Amino acid sequence: MSTRSRIGYVMKTGAIASVYCHSDGYIEGVGLTLLNHYTDPKKIRALIKLGDLSSLHEKVAPPAGVNHAFDWTERAPGVTVAYKRDRGETDVDPIQSATIEEFLAIDSGQEYSYLWDGRWWVWDMDKPTEKLELAVAAVKERITA
């Protein structure tokens, strides 16, 4: 069973663009990957532009000339797997929300929702009123506990 999540960022307009991520959505998975590899707004926008994700990794795209596909045997190491780009699916584009409340109300079965507004925030969807700032030290502490 996968731990699903939603990843979004606050756009210049104040609206939120977000995508579904199917695998490893827990804080020690997607959360730590976001903290370690997605703090550049340009890279975050490129990630969200991919649309819904099967799995998040440190790179948005493979290096030039390197093959990458949805199938396990054809994936480039460390590259995010996206349903549209890598499997040709449709209806997986980012969703726009006018407010944080609207963002949190999107129901894609996610257990965690992550939002970038200059720093990463996370909501455990079992307790959506509790907003936590994602910080590397806190995640590492959680992993070793």
Side-chain angles (χ1 to χ4, degrees), residues 43-63:
K43 187 175 180 183
I44 295 166
R45 286 191 301 274
L47 175 72
I48 301 304
K49 190 175 180 181
L50 288 175
D52 291 346
L53 311 172
S54 175
S55 56
L56 177 70
H57 300 281
E58 58 269 18
K59 300 173 191 164
V60 174

Side-chain angles (χ1 to χ4, degrees), residues 65-77:
V66 174
N67 290 332
H68 178 70
F70 195 86
D71 187 272
W72 281 96
T73 61
E74 299 175 35
R75 291 182 184 174

Side-chain angles (χ1 to χ4, degrees), residues 9-10 12 37-50 60 116 120:
Y9 76 97
V10 178
K12 290 178 183 176
H37 302 285
Y38 291 89
T39 55
D40 174 2
K42 186 175 178 181
K43 187 175 180 183
I44 295 166
R45 286 191 301 274
L47 175 72
I48 301 304
K49 190 175 180 181
L50 288 175
V60 174
W116 173 263
W120 283 109

Side-chain angles (χ1 to χ4, degrees), residues 27-42:
I27 293 171
E28 300 86 349
V30 164
L32 197 55
T33 301
L34 292 170
L35 280 172
N36 286 330
H37 302 285
Y38 291 89
T39 55
D40 174 2
K42 186 175 178 181

